């Protein structure tokens, strides 16, 4: 009969404790950490985008704001991404960080959700749209709902026959596959998504 070496037994117990201990605590803490970080990002990024849109609509009219939205969303997003990916590195220890807006009825096809993200959006349509967190293929995702929060949104995302003709023409020219009209005030429009990657995982 073989008698187990007490040192290796202790080591096994220690490894088990570490594994199970972290399995009990880690998921919730990981979820909270990513959701809290993403809330900070969203609260910094989205109001600035809406504010610039408001200024542009007021100064040049809605139609002129369509191409602006197209270019500005990309440029502004890039600048903010630089700041926040650095923060994700220092505050979360992340190796890669991204954020984007998605919708099941996207205007820009680049904003089409993944299958898993589409499932979350569908569940939000049916019930309470509370922020979501999940892991997929080693990446950590958060999703926060974006709603049609004000009449301004309707001037480009409302019923097609209520959108100013010039504006609609500009939307159709830039986005031939546009699906993002027909919304009403308060509707779920999509989500603000963050994606965090840790190389060491
Ligand atoms: C001046 C027209 C205009 C207004 C006003 C406007 N949008 Fe958009 N929206 C656009 C355009 C153009 C895009 C595509 C941007 C791109 O190319 O990424 C877009 C894209 C989006 C997206 C990304 C998903 C997709 O469909 O591609 C969301 C979410 C969104 N808008 C929400 C809103 C909300 C909420 C408001 C009101 C606060 C709003 N928009 C107001 C023109 C507008």
């Amino acid at each position: 009969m073989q008698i187990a070496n007490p040192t290796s037994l202790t080591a096994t117990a220690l490894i088990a404790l570490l594994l199970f201990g972290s399995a009990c605590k880690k998921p919730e803490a990981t979820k909270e950490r990513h959701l809290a970080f993403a809330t900070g990002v969203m609260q910094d990024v989205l109001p600035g985008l809406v504010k610039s849109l408001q200024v542009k609509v007021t100064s040049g009219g809605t139609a002129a704001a369509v191409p602006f939205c197209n270019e500005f969303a990309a440029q502004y997003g890039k600048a903010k991404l630089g700041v926040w990916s650095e923060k994700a590195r220092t505050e979360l220890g992340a190796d890669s960080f991204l954020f984007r807006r998605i919708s099941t009825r996207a205007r820009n096809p680049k904003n089409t959700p993944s299958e898993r993200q589409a499932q979350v959006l569908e569940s939000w349509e049916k019930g309470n749209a509370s922020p979501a967190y999940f892991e997929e293929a080693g990446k950590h995702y958060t999703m926060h709902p974006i709603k049609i929060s004000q009449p301004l949104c309707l001037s480009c995302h409302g019923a097609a026959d209520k959108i100013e003709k010039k504006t609609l023409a500009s939307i159709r020219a830039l986005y031939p596959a546009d699906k993002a009209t027909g919304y009403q005030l308060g509707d779920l429009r999509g989500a603000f998504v963050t994606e965090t990657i840790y190389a060491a995982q």
Side-chain angles (χ1 to χ4, degrees), residues 11-61:
T12 314
L14 201 67
I15 290 169
L17 189 76
L18 282 174
L19 282 178
F20 291 113
S22 66
C24 290
K25 279 186 215 142
K26 210 174 141 213
E28 204 41 37
T30 307
K31 175 182 170 182
E32 294 313 322
R33 197 158 49 104
H34 286 93
L35 280 175
F37 188 79
T39 303
V41 182
M42 184 167 116
Q43 284 171 351
D44 174 50
V45 173
L46 288 188
L49 188 60
V50 174
K51 183 89 201 127
S52 308
L53 198 56
Q54 271 165 344
V55 169
K56 190 72 194 172
V57 167
T58 314
S59 63

Side-chain angles (χ1 to χ4, degrees), residues 5 26 29 35 38 44 56 73-74 77 94 98 108 112 119 146 148 150 158 167 175-176 184-185:
N5 168 347
K26 210 174 141 213
L35 280 175
D44 174 50
K56 190 72 194 172
L98 283 177
N108 188 332
T112 303
Q119 281 168 6
I146 298 178
I148 295 287
Q150 46 183 298
T167 304
Y175 305 97
Q184 291 179 357
L185 211 57

Side-chain angles (χ1 to χ4, degrees), residues 50 53 62 65-66 69-70 101 103 105-108 111 146-147 150 152-153 155-157 175 180 189:
V50 174
L53 198 56
T62 314
V66 173
C69 196
N70 171 279
R101 295 181 306 167
S103 174
R105 282 160 60 191
R107 173 148 292 167
N108 188 332
N111 301 333
I146 298 178
K147 296 206 166 169
Q150 46 183 298
L152 168 77
C153 315
S155 56
C156 293
H157 296 295
Y175 305 97
R189 171 72 184 90

Side-chain angles (χ1 to χ4, degrees), residues 25-198:
K25 279 186 215 142
K26 210 174 141 213
E28 204 41 37
T30 307
K31 175 182 170 182
E32 294 313 322
R33 197 158 49 104
H34 286 93
L35 280 175
F37 188 79
T39 303
V41 182
M42 184 167 116
Q43 284 171 351
D44 174 50
V45 173
L46 288 188
L49 188 60
V50 174
K51 183 89 201 127
S52 308
L53 198 56
Q54 271 165 344
V55 169
K56 190 72 194 172
V57 167
T58 314
S59 63
T62 314
V66 173
F68 166 81
C69 196
N70 171 279
E71 288 153 28
F72 182 77
Q75 278 170 16
Y76 173 85
K78 236 187 218 163
K80 287 284 183 190
L81 193 58
V83 174
W84 282 101
S85 52
E86 191 46 42
K87 281 197 186 189
R89 199 182 302 274
T90 51
E91 289 176 24
L92 300 175
D95 291 283
S96 159
F97 179 77
L98 283 177
F99 63 75
R100 54 198 288 253
R101 295 181 306 167
I102 56 160
S103 174
T104 40
R105 282 160 60 191
R107 173 148 292 167
N108 188 332
K110 284 188 196 152
N111 301 333
T112 303
S114 70
E115 210 173 300
R116 179 77 184 263
Q117 290 163 357
Q119 281 168 6
V120 173
L121 287 168
E122 270 166 40
S123 77
W124 283 353
E125 291 281 1
K126 288 179 203 143
N128 186 14
S130 53
Y133 164 85
F134 60 89
E135 273 183 68
E136 196 174 39
K139 298 175 184 177
H140 300 254
Y141 292 94
T142 66
M143 289 175 63
H144 283 75
I146 298 178
K147 296 206 166 169
I148 295 287
S149 54
Q150 46 183 298
L152 168 77
C153 315
L154 296 175
S155 56
C156 293
H157 296 295
D161 59 356
K162 299 240 171 70
I163 295 176
E164 192 192 25
K165 276 207 172 67
K166 237 167 64 181
T167 304
L168 195 62
S170 180
I171 292 172
R172 300 245 154 104
L174 273 167
Y175 305 97
D178 178 42
K179 295 186 208 139
T181 56
Y183 288 95
Q184 291 179 357
L185 211 57
D187 280 353
L188 180 68
R189 171 72 184 90
F192 184 83
V193 175
T194 67
E195 180 194 289
T196 313
I197 304 175
Y198 300 90

